[in-house]
């Protein structure tokens, strides 16, 4: 038993040593770093960014994971959201993964922005050709936290998660499917009931196949209906969001939560759209919400 | 005399009526709007963005002009700098013009990122083919303020100006050449002595010709040497800026200011680079600096 444990440690050390820092930028007194590593879950090189606030030089800090939306990489949020200012003020690390596997070997649909690369939907695909690499759910909930908590000055086992649009939904399902893994969850303009909208149906039918029972395991509204345990949850939608009526369906999630006595705060922000200008406006409140729960 | 005045008013009304709002995004309780208009100075359609803070709904607010750097449009700063949060807190309008004339008729050097479109350098070009459209100096110091103060709820005649790199230098020369036009000026990683570096020499020789006396009229260090009147001035450079040693030369401007007893604050920020992550870190301090002078 001791021997197996030692082997496992060696394996991990080897694995993590393959992680390579590819960029380092000073910001708000801390460091915005970017890494690439060979992902065990996705069987390809993956890129992610980490913002370490100034406090991380002298202590371990709690981490907030950010899941981005369709077409994004790890770069969008770190460039456009203005989150690092608040992370520096609050003493939070930001973990910003990519939205899908990448590389020449990875299946894609180059005709569509909402399927394939940039559109992993944070599920484990079961259908060919997607199942070779599209295991974003395992990547986000298992591999990445293990890597981050092994390699960076973050508090182990204490995490929160948030995201935007497809990534807002990703944050919701990661939290709803893993009671106790996150202290809090929030989302900006999340797809709330993907089984019910084009974006979700397009991805789920390709990644998971035609059996819609398998879709329910990755649908936030269905997970609440199925009895997911409550977790502090904050959601913002903009009333001027061009995707609100056809893709997002917050009213479905609200109804499921009401029927399950699941506490939830969905705020409808007047006139705001789906862009990073909307996110920038409210990211401070979201990070304060997470900080309060992370430091309880 | 009265008749001429009336004609002029009518002309202006007609002119401004050609300005068209092409985008409107709610952010931090205010509105980020984008316009296009036929520019009298540049003889082409020009695009600019304006952020109006919430306070502008009930009162005229002072305006800060932002001049962007090489390769940028009006979009970079509004997306990446995080300035709108501070503008909303301080009650400032942000005026964000493009960096050069645009359009199929406009001369360009498609082989170079540092000449032609995206690289107007905020001068009035005198040499063919640039002189047909490249009149960014007149556009920034005359046409745009006149348009802005005629069309938006900003305080007339009260302005400050700032910018980045080429645009940081642009801000410096607009302020140094026009005593009394701006209350304060600041700059992020400005080119401080363009006659002395490749970026400046490449643009000046093309736009202004071989007579280097004409270059001195658009060089911040030379303008201080020539007796420009003091104005509150704040400059930040990053010690990790990859362009610092070869292109920016803050020590030249510092020396000229010291010899002219021209008060200046050049801060060397440890490890920061030339990117918008550097700008985002310090834009709040710059806008507070301008706000204090605008509200004196």
């Amino acid at each position: 038993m001791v021997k197996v444990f030692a082997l496992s440690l060696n394996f991990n050390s080897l694995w993590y040593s393959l992680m390579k820092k590819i960029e380092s930028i000073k910001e708000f007194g801390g460091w915005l770093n970017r890494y690439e590593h060979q992902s065990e879950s996705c069987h390809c090189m993956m890129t992610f960014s980490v913002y370490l606030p100034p406090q991380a030089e002298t202590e371990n800090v709690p981490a907030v994971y950010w899941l981005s939306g369709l077409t994004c990489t790890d770069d969008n949020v770190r460039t456009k959201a203005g989150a690092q200012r608040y992370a520096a003020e609050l003493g939070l690390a930001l973990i910003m993964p990519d939205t899908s596997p990448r590389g020449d070997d990875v299946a894609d649909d180059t005709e569509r922005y909402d399927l394939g690369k940039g559109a992993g939907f944070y599920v484990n695909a079961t259908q060919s050709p997607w199942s070779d690499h599209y295991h974003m759910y395992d990547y986000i909930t298992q591999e990445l936290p293990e890597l981050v908590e092994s390699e960076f000055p973050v508090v182990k086992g204490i995490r929160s998660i948030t995201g935007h649009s497809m990534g807002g939904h990703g944050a919701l399902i990661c939290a709803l499917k893993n009671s106790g893994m996150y202290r809090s969850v929030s989302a900006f303009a999340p797809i709330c009931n993907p089984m019910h909208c084009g974006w979700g149906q397009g991805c789920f039918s390709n990644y998971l196949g035609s059996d819609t029972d398998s879709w329910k395991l990755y649908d936030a509204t269905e997970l609440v209906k199925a009895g997911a345990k409550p977790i502090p949850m904050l959601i913002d939608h903009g009333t001027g969001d061009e995707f609100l009526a056809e893709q997002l369906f917050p009213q479905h999630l609200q109804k499921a939560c009401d029927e399950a006595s699941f506490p939830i705060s969905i705020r409808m922000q007047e006139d705001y759209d789906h862009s990073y200008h909307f996110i920038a406006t409210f990211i401070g409140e979201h990070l304060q919400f997470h900080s309060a729960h992370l430091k309880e």
Side-chain angles (χ1 to χ4, degrees), chain A residues 4-51:
Chain A
V4 172
F5 182 64
L7 272 172
S8 163
L9 267 184
N10 286 343
F11 174 74
N12 279 345
S13 300
L14 175 66
W15 196 260
Y16 297 150
S17 72
L18 298 176
M19 186 178 80
K20 187 177 159 197
K21 189 192 284 186
I22 55 175
E23 197 174 53
S24 189
I25 300 169
K26 193 168 181 187
E27 188 168 21
F28 292 103
W31 289 92
L32 176 62
N33 297 326
R34 183 181 249 170
Y35 299 88
E36 61 181 21
H37 70 120
Q38 181 65 37
S39 165
E40 199 178 3
S41 309
C42 295
H43 307 115
C44 65
M45 290 297 281
M46 292 291 285
T47 301
F48 66 96
S49 288
V50 172
Y51 178 70

Side-chain angles (χ1 to χ4, degrees), chain A residues 101-221:
Chain A
R102 303 282 178 180
D104 294 341
D105 295 341
V106 173
D108 194 16
D109 185 333
T110 55
E111 305 277 299
R112 293 176 59 171
Y113 73 93
D114 57 353
L115 182 67
K117 291 181 188 174
F121 230 91
Y122 306 103
V123 304
N124 289 336
T126 57
Q127 305 298 302
S128 181
W130 312 103
S131 52
D132 289 348
H133 297 282
Y134 284 76
H135 301 136
M136 288 300 292
Y137 177 74
D138 282 351
Y139 180 73
I140 297 298
T141 58
Q142 294 177 28
E143 183 176 4
L144 188 61
E146 194 178 320
L147 179 63
V148 163
E149 294 178 12
S150 167
E151 295 293 300
F152 300 104
V154 300
V155 180
K156 288 180 183 29
I158 306 291
R159 315 170 199 97
S160 289
I161 191 163
T162 180
H164 175 225
S165 194
M166 171 186 79
H169 182 260
L172 295 178
I173 60 170
C174 289
L176 291 168
K177 286 167 73 72
N178 295 282
S179 179
M181 183 179 287
Y182 303 96
R183 286 284 180 92
S184 51
V185 59
S186 77
F188 295 82
I191 303 164
C192 292
N193 187 191
M195 293 182 66
H196 197 76
C197 73
W199 279 346
Q201 290 158 355
C203 282
F204 284 3
S205 60
N206 275 278
Y207 298 152
L208 304 174
S210 57
D211 176 4
T212 56
D213 280 347
S214 68
W215 301 11
K216 292 182 180 176
L217 302 176
Y218 289 112
D219 182 301
T221 296

